[in-house]
Amino acid sequence: SIWRFEDAENPGRDSGAGGLDFEERIGNADSPAPMLVADGVSGKALRIARSSAVGNAMLCGTGLPSGDTPFTMSAWIRPDANCNGNAYIILRMTLEGVPDNWTTKSWNGWLLRFSNSGASLALRFKNWGSATASDEYTVCGSLPAGEYNDGQWHHVVATRDASKMARVYWDGVKVGEQQLSYGTVAATSKLLLGSYEKGNGYSGDYDEIQYLDTVWTDEQVAAEYAARVPAEVQPKDSLPTPVAHWTFDEIEDVGDVKLFRDSGPNGWDLRNMSNGNSYVECVTGDGINGGAAYVRTPAAQRRRGSDGNVRRQADELHVLRALQERQLHRFGAVPLHLPWKCARCGTVPALFL
């Protein structure tokens, strides 16, 4: 499942294969209802703010992978300046009702939260169905001082594999891992954003939330952060060093060859391939940062498009050193092969748009 928060008619729509939409749960009419705001990581974002001890929430129905199935939980968050330093960011538990007045409330799930007044990020599994009530199993990692509510977008990831090894990440970097003895998630559990109870409710923005039944590696988490981090946010120095970077700001003519220059340290320029199928039609001026490549692909190859062609834009490709086989990472799901190859090593990149 993936929630992008772009649809004004259905803000909590799941645009992934899961089809599990979030619904509003109003705990206090004095707090603003969940709403979309314009300045998300990518397009719009979901805002859940508080003006009272009890806030509001978005609750997603059952159907996400459960039991001991491995999972990755990824989200971009921008907590308010007054967000509680022990706030529950995202929860997975069995719930019915509204915040702080739940008619049904049962764990056998997990919560991702700030702790120690914003100094830590914790993934906590709770088993209230065991012989020893309220058993808790936690992985915790330290955060840079003052970052949790600094007004910037931050990327949080929590994973748990089949062996119950749990990990938490902050802005592309692993900050904690722990081998747990418990990590089971009840099939009746739901996903909650926003306020759960008085005092510990999250206040701020969410964007680009993903729930997967696979476990991202450290390199995949770092690449996801690098691919989406807003231009105004400086990436962490501890991220893998890009070994190649194509900005697509201009096409350079070198004799009979057209090149996109690599601004990375190795000079892996992309040159035009001699085929009559896909090709870069032009460079436009409306990229993420400067220009972008405008790619034209015949409908016979893509099997869609009424005008005989499909056009998509490509911008700001990176190759991260830690990724295997120089794999290019770009968020999304549709593979589109650029009609260019590396002038030095001959590799043809697969761009994911």
Side-chain angles (χ1 to χ4, degrees):
S1 290
I2 179 168
W3 298 273
R4 300 188 184 278
F5 307 114
E6 300 294 333
D7 187 347
E9 297 297 322
N10 182 10
R13 183 174 66 87
D14 177 6
S15 58
L20 299 173
D21 296 347
F22 279 102
E23 298 178 353
E24 288 185 1
R25 295 299 170 100
I26 304 300
N28 193 316
D30 292 337
S31 291
M35 59 182 290
L36 296 185
V37 294
D39 56 339
V41 170
S42 177
K44 300 182 180 68
L46 176 70
R47 176 157 184 75
I48 304 182
R50 304 167 64 100
S51 59
S52 63
V54 180
N56 300 316
M58 296 286 276
L59 188 66
C60 173
T62 60
L64 292 170
S66 59
D68 293 326
T69 303
F71 72 85
T72 294
M73 179 78 247
S74 167
W76 284 86
I77 62 171
R78 183 172 54 186
D80 290 341
N82 62 353
C83 183
N84 190 303
N86 297 302
Y88 300 161
I89 305 168
I90 303 175
L91 299 91
R92 181 88 192 269
M93 62 183 295
T94 303
L95 290 169
E96 295 294 343
V98 297
D100 209 46
N101 192 26
W102 302 105
T103 56
T104 299
K105 183 170 66 172
S106 175
W107 280 100
N108 289 86
W110 53 261
L111 59 90
L112 181 63
R113 67 176 300 182
F114 295 122
S115 64
N116 300 321
S117 299
S120 303
L121 179 69
L123 175 65
R124 177 176 298 170
F125 289 86
K126 302 186 75 170
N127 175 19
W128 284 4
S130 67
T132 303
S134 193
D135 284 346
E136 297 184 352
Y137 308 84
T138 304
V139 54
C140 189
S142 297
L143 300 181
E147 271 200 7
Y148 92 95
N149 62 346
D150 63 0
Q152 301 291 330
W153 281 105
H154 294 285
H155 187 219
V156 293
V157 174
T159 69
R160 191 221 57 208
D161 64 21
S163 71
K164 298 184 176 63
M165 174 65 78
R167 300 174 176 90
V168 288
Y169 300 81
W170 178 260
D171 286 346
V173 178
K174 181 169 61 183
V175 293
E177 64 180 343
Q178 181 70 40
Q179 181 67 58
L180 305 179
S181 58
Y182 179 85
T184 301
V185 178
T188 56
S189 62
K190 301 178 179 181
L191 207 60
L192 177 76
L193 310 177
S195 184
Y196 165 62
E197 62 182 7
K198 290 181 180 179
N200 290 325
Y202 173 88
S203 181
D205 304 324
Y206 296 91
D207 203 2
E208 302 296 324
I209 294 179
Q210 300 182 65
Y211 197 103
L212 303 93
D213 59 0
T214 58
V215 174
W216 278 351
T217 64
D218 295 352
E219 293 79 15
Q220 287 172 310
V221 174
E224 175 72 7
Y225 173 73
R228 294 184 191 264
V229 61
E232 67 272 14
V233 178
Q234 293 297 318
K236 298 291 185 296
D237 293 337
S238 53
L239 284 175
T241 302
V243 295
H245 179 201
W246 300 281
T247 64
F248 300 110
D249 288 343
E250 63 178 336
I251 300 176
E252 183 174 335
D253 289 314
V254 181
D256 295 332
V257 178
K258 293 182 181 295
L259 294 176
F260 280 124
R261 291 294 188 185
D262 169 25
S263 60
N266 295 299
W268 292 341
D269 300 332
L270 294 178
R271 66 178 175 83
N272 196 18
M273 292 175 60
S274 57
N275 67 60
N277 295 324
S278 300
Y279 61 91
V280 174
E281 195 167 59
C282 63
V283 170
T284 66
D286 59 346
I288 295 172
N289 183 19
Y294 199 44
V295 183
R296 178 183 183 275
T297 305
Q301 181 176 338
R302 293 285 299 140
R303 297 176 180 266
R304 56 186 281 196
S306 58
D307 67 346
N309 302 287
V310 173
R311 292 176 172 86
R312 290 175 180 257
Q313 286 179 283
D315 201 1
E316 301 300 327
L317 290 185
H318 296 74
V319 180
L320 300 182
R321 186 181 305 280
L323 297 183
Q324 295 181 358
E325 299 177 356
R326 296 175 183 160
Q327 181 184 13
L328 300 182
H329 180 89
R330 181 67 174 155
F331 57 86
V334 181
L336 175 64
H337 290 274
L338 278 174
W340 300 72
K341 65 181 179 180
C342 179
R344 181 167 297 185
C345 66
T347 302
V348 181
L351 169 65
F352 292 89
L353 288 176

